[in-house]
Amino acid sequence: MRRPALYSRSPRAPQQAEGVGEVDQPQASMGPAHASDAADDAAAAPAAPSAPRRRFGWRSGIALTVLLSALGASGYYYLPPQTAHQLTQKDIDAAVLRSLQTASLPSAAARAADIIRPSVVEVVALGPEKSTPAAKVEKRGRNLARGKPPQADPPPGEVERGVGTGVVIVDKGVILTNLHVVAGAEKIKVTFADGLEANASIIGLQPENDLAVLQADKIPDDLFAATMRSTGDLQPGDNVAVVGFPFGIGPSVSAGVVSGLKRSFRSPEGQQEMSNLIQFDAAANPGNSGGPLVNMNGEVLGIVTAILNPTQQRTFIGIGFAVPIENAASAAGMPPF
């Protein structure tokens, strides 16, 4: 038996003719009295409506109840247009000012360091310990930074002859660093930002600018290469940051400004003189060598290569030097500009 509809979209009379209602009896079977009663009933019955009347079913009622409940739970209420608040520029300015007063925003140097950090690596040269005055100062500094006695000897086995910094310039594991960091090393080890350690080999040199190009034998899956930026529009006073591993501590961040351009520097031993250097005052110490000097967009402007200190202490007194990235990238055979 067909299930009756919950509500009808058509008048009742046609439904009865189609058999939805009760079955009509033929007129011939009606007796005179019944025929007369039927005629009276038909005369007294109201006329059929000209348009269909819809019945409101129980399912529709439930649906409406659920809809109203959902709107109430979501906090949606109808507000007449005349009561709605229109935002003004004064409201917007007040909200922005309140956010600036209550929110703690990162500094420009912090944002720059966050951008460049995935491309910065620690470079460790392994082999016979160097006996130069500079090497002794670096060893003393590394020991103090690691909580060891100043003259403590390294454990037997591979000896750290120097610690420096490098920056990835090609995502296949090509790294720029200083030549003096890796010169004479029997083995070079690099540690990426995610902690992956790998051996590296020298694939390019530019001795006149104290630069070396390394290739790591394995790399992280998501290695990021740094973005390099021309120094053509660089000016004294521009903000810069240095990221590296001073005395093996890091990655460490320091910030300052460009102090000058086209500077010259002679190594303490007097063996080499470099020119066309960027002078900066962001703190740098042994271990920062080979690391990136970046602008506030985290773009590499140069490679940190030296600090000036008239004494033999080899510590920072406010004057550092970096090789412009134009020269540094050419060491890898890929001038970027």
Side-chain angles (χ1 to χ4, degrees):
M1 180 177 180
R2 189 175 64 175
R3 183 178 180 182
L6 296 177
Y7 60 89
S8 174
R9 295 184 179 274
S10 58
R12 174 175 297 274
Q15 283 187 347
Q16 292 175 346
E18 294 174 4
V20 176
E22 296 179 356
V23 178
D24 293 335
Q25 298 295 327
Q27 294 292 333
S29 63
M30 290 185 181
H34 290 88
S36 176
D37 293 342
D40 294 340
D41 292 342
S50 58
R53 297 179 60 188
R54 299 184 179 180
R55 295 185 179 180
F56 194 79
W58 63 272
R59 292 188 178 179
S60 298
I62 292 177
L64 180 59
T65 303
V66 171
L67 176 60
L68 293 175
S69 300
L71 291 175
S74 64
Y76 176 84
Y77 297 96
Y78 172 77
L79 293 177
Q82 62 272 19
T83 62
H85 177 67
Q86 298 295 326
L87 286 177
T88 65
Q89 187 61 45
K90 184 178 180 180
D91 296 330
I92 297 173
D93 293 343
V96 171
L97 180 61
R98 184 164 53 253
S99 297
L100 292 175
Q101 291 174 340
T102 58
S104 179
L105 301 177
S107 68
R111 293 193 299 270
D114 189 57
I115 293 171
I116 191 62
R117 191 174 288 112
S119 303
V120 177
V121 300
E122 182 182 26
V123 180
V124 177
L126 303 171
E129 188 173 1
K130 292 183 289 187
S131 58
T132 63
K136 292 179 180 178
V137 171
E138 291 181 24
K139 174 184 175 181
R140 177 185 176 90
R142 290 197 302 272
N143 282 337
L144 291 175
R146 296 170 183 177
K148 298 179 180 180
Q151 303 302 327
D153 292 324
E158 296 180 336
V159 177
E160 287 186 8
R161 59 177 286 126
V163 176
T165 307
V167 58
V168 177
I169 59 171
V170 180
D171 59 8
K172 294 181 180 179
V174 178
I175 300 166
L176 270 178
T177 189
N178 279 153
L179 176 57
H180 75 259
V181 172
V182 296
E186 296 178 349
K187 185 178 180 180
I188 302 170
K189 182 177 68 176
V190 296
T191 304
F192 292 94
D194 67 348
L196 176 68
E197 294 184 356
N199 294 326
S201 55
I202 299 174
I203 60 172
L205 294 173
Q206 196 179 80
E208 64 272 23
N209 284 315
D210 189 27
L211 294 169
V213 184
L214 309 179
Q215 174 65 64
D217 63 2
K218 58 181 178 179
I219 61 174
D221 293 334
D222 56 349
L223 182 61
F224 289 95
T227 299
M228 295 176 279
R229 169 67 183 271
S230 171
T231 61
D233 59 352
L234 194 62
Q235 297 180 355
D238 284 346
N239 292 320
V240 290
V242 170
V243 181
F245 294 83
F247 296 109
I249 305 173
S252 300
V253 180
S254 59
V257 299
V258 173
S259 303
L261 302 170
K262 300 185 182 300
R263 302 298 199 219
S264 296
F265 171 78
R266 180 178 292 277
S267 64
E269 295 80 12
Q271 299 174 347
Q272 184 179 12
E273 182 174 356
M274 293 180 289
S275 59
N276 191 35
L277 300 175
I278 302 169
Q279 179 188 340
F280 60 89
D281 69 353
N285 284 286
N288 279 115
S289 295
L293 177 74
V294 301
N295 61 16
M296 295 299 96
N297 293 323
E299 300 165 327
V300 181
L301 301 170
I303 300 298
V304 177
T305 191
I307 56 176
L308 177 62
N309 190 331
T311 73
Q312 295 296 318
Q313 295 304 311
R314 297 281 293 175
T315 54
F316 188 69
I317 61 171
I319 300 177
F321 299 102
V323 178
I325 194 59
E326 289 89 342
N327 301 56
S330 67
M334 48 173 294
F337 313 109

